[in-house]
Amino acid sequence: MKKMMLSILLIVSLIGISGCAESNIGDLKISAGDQEIKSTTLSNTKLANAKSDLSSNAEASGFEFAFEQDAVKNIQYLKNGEIITQDFGDPEPDNVLIEDSVLNKSGAYQFSSRETLEVPITKKDGKYSFTIEKHMASSLSSFYEENKKDYRGYSITASWGEKEYRYAFVIQADAN
């Protein structure tokens, strides 16, 4: 009887520990230097569901949240060359993909989703980072404006096994 009670206690403890470890999955902190960048979670789904959702609405940018009411005035300006860091906490994701799009003033794609670029990332000490660089789509406009700034939408897809989370954030960056 004592062994059975001890076994049950051990099983309950293991379930509790594994549940606590999984509670941090999906947490994300984004920063540039000492500035925190506000982001939103676009979805929290199984991989199969996420892929079908994306294909059914291929032209929806998902960045409209940053342009609602007074939110647009909170979009941070970052210079090209600055480094943006993502910290997912523990456990680290199995896979991370970051994409960069040029947006118009309402949060839709400025040109089309085909001009969305995959961003090269580096991983160090469990954190992922990338450098803000000029987006090639910024040059598509035939009207040159000195000191022009673009709205840039970044989409992050991170997966832990079969769980996939999509995040988004918007910044302003130099177009030239």
Side-chain angles (χ1 to χ4, degrees), residues 132-160:
I132 300 171
E133 296 180 3
K134 180 181 173 183
H135 195 290
M136 66 89 179
S138 297
S139 303
L140 294 177
S141 175
S142 58
F143 299 105
Y144 176 80
E145 289 180 46
E146 192 172 341
N147 301 320
K148 182 178 183 245
K149 294 176 181 47
D150 284 332
Y151 289 111
R152 304 273 291 276
Y154 289 91
S155 172
I156 303 169
T157 305
S159 60
W160 289 261

Side-chain angles (χ1 to χ4, degrees), residues 81-143:
E82 288 194 56
I83 296 173
I84 295 181
T85 304
Q86 299 86 51
D87 185 356
F88 293 93
D90 209 19
E92 295 175 23
D94 301 324
N95 190 33
V96 175
L97 170 72
I98 301 174
E99 295 177 312
D100 177 10
S101 303
V102 177
L103 307 174
N104 66 21
K105 292 179 181 180
S106 63
Y109 293 117
Q110 178 70 33
F111 302 101
S112 83
S113 62
R114 289 180 292 233
E115 280 76 32
T116 295
L117 302 175
E118 185 174 335
V119 176
I121 57 176
T122 57
K123 180 181 169 189
K124 183 177 179 183
D125 299 328
K127 296 179 182 177
Y128 297 81
S129 62
F130 67 92
T131 303
I132 300 171
E133 296 180 3
K134 180 181 173 183
H135 195 290
M136 66 89 179
S138 297
S139 303
L140 294 177
S141 175
S142 58
F143 299 105

Side-chain angles (χ1 to χ4, degrees), residues 29-68:
K29 293 179 187 169
I30 302 174
S31 60
D34 59 353
Q35 291 183 69
E36 185 174 334
I37 298 174
K38 295 182 192 291
S39 67
T40 191
T41 302
L42 296 177
S43 64
N44 167 5
T45 61
K46 298 279 185 195
L47 287 174
N49 292 340
K51 288 182 176 141
S52 66
D53 289 346
L54 290 173
S55 62
S56 66
N57 199 2
E59 288 302 314
S61 75
F63 299 106
E64 291 83 1
F65 71 91
F67 296 86
E68 294 174 349

Side-chain angles (χ1 to χ4, degrees), residues 13-34:
S13 297
L14 288 174
I15 291 171
I17 290 171
S18 67
C20 291
E22 227 179 272
S23 67
N24 291 333
I25 289 179
D27 290 348
L28 175 62
K29 293 179 187 169
I30 302 174
S31 60
D34 59 353

